[in-house]
Amino acid sequence: MRKFYGVTLKNPLMLGTAQYPSPAILAEAFKTSGASVATVSLRRENGADQDGGQGQAFWSLIRALDVKILPNTAGCHSVKEAVTTAHMAREMFDTNWIKLEVIGNTDTLQPDVFGLVEAAKILTDDGFEVFPYTTEDLSVADRLLNAGCEVLMPWGAPIGSGQGINNPLGLRSLRAHFPDTPLVVDAGIGLPSHAAFAMELGYDAVLLNTAVAKAGDPAQMARAMANAATAGQLAALADPMEPRDMAAPSTPVIGKAFLS
């Protein structure tokens, strides 16, 4: 099991906390899945509600989950906005972990990789442990690592799309080029099979939200996602066979009885 800034996760599922039908269903999804990390947007907290309001009620619920908290800079479109949000999140959630998002396109929610690298450098220099939401581009990955990031979180598909893994070749290349770096497929996963496939590629965790929160039974889907991610992880560790172009009999023909 790979470590994320010195932390070993017991479960390869990282789960978001937005869009659930109710706080009780959110809590049940975490309970049934055993997800090890909860991602939280600062925008879910209302600064005006700090004295017993909805923001504090939500934060109390998150703390009760007893998981690692990963605040994010969701919705930020500039370096300044992302850095400011990260500092506010560190103060509020008392953690140096930050999922760094700098959005470059409003339709696809694709990362602004130029702003991402700049913001990552600023934050790592200030003591943050950055989890950058990025693309599968190898040169961008290099720049993020040089900026001080120790984890990379390439997208599988656009956020909330449920398309799965759009570029398996790109994700395979990223894994091959950075064998010792913790890698997380973040965004786009819609089905347990997508989560399993991501882990079969050799990734260390998957991060998802919408596929669980918007399911008819979020708790059941969360458990399915966790089981699939674990199965994919075990498959990768088992060193699976390579696919063949031709059939190969599983039963040997040597010693087979032939009728005369």
Side-chain angles (χ1 to χ4, degrees):
M1 301 286 282
R2 221 176 296 262
K3 291 186 177 182
F4 295 80
Y5 292 104
V7 177
T8 301
L9 304 181
K10 296 180 180 179
N11 187 314
L13 178 64
M14 300 180 176
L15 196 55
T17 57
Q19 306 183 71
Y20 289 83
S22 71
I25 291 175
L26 185 160
E28 186 64 18
F30 273 86
K31 179 181 178 180
T32 58
S33 67
S36 54
V37 173
T39 61
V40 183
S41 171
L42 185 66
R43 296 167 190 270
R44 293 278 290 150
E45 293 281 354
N46 185 341
D49 276 337
Q50 292 305 298
D51 296 322
Q54 293 181 353
Q56 280 295 298
F58 177 75
W59 181 216
S60 295
L61 170 64
I62 297 302
R63 283 184 296 186
L65 297 177
D66 193 28
V67 297
K68 189 71 176 177
I69 305 299
L70 177 60
N72 66 43
T73 62
C76 293
H77 291 260
S78 70
V79 171
K80 182 178 180 180
E81 187 180 12
V83 169
T84 299
T85 302
H87 279 90
M88 293 172 64
R90 179 162 67 179
E91 182 177 345
M92 179 168 289
F93 298 111
D94 192 27
T95 178
N96 286 325
W97 278 23
I98 190 73
K99 178 190 171 187
L100 179 61
E101 296 183 26
V102 183
I103 301 301
N105 183 280
T106 54
D107 291 328
T108 65
L109 299 182
Q110 180 172 335
D112 170 2
V113 295
F114 303 101
L116 182 67
V117 172
E118 183 181 347
K121 175 63 175 171
I122 294 170
L123 291 174
T124 55
D125 285 349
D126 197 30
F128 282 89
E129 295 172 330
V130 178
F131 292 68
Y133 164 63
T134 182
T135 66
E136 62 275 36
D137 187 284
L138 297 177
S139 61
V140 174
D142 257 328
R143 285 168 170 77
L144 287 168
L145 295 176
N146 290 335
C149 297
E150 297 180 14
V151 177
L152 297 173
M153 302 181 73
W155 65 344
I159 294 172
S161 69
Q163 294 176 12
I165 308 300
N166 277 353
N167 186 3
L169 178 61
L171 293 181
R172 283 194 181 97
S173 296
L174 198 66
R175 177 75 286 173
H177 278 76
F178 304 102
D180 300 321
T181 300
L183 298 179
V184 182
V185 171
D186 175 17
I189 290 176
L191 293 170
S193 57
H194 300 158
F197 183 41
M199 298 300 295
E200 288 168 6
L201 292 175
Y203 279 67
D204 302 293
V206 292
L207 195 162
L208 55 100
N209 188 162
T210 308
V212 168
K214 292 298 186 180
D217 186 337
Q220 188 79 335
M221 182 60 78
R223 182 164 68 172
M225 289 291 188
N227 289 343
T230 299
Q233 185 177 58
L234 291 174
L237 293 173
D239 190 17
M241 63 174 284
E242 294 291 332
R244 302 186 177 105
D245 293 330
M246 301 291 290
S250 57
T251 302
V253 296
I254 298 175
K256 180 181 177 181
F258 290 93
L259 297 177
S260 59

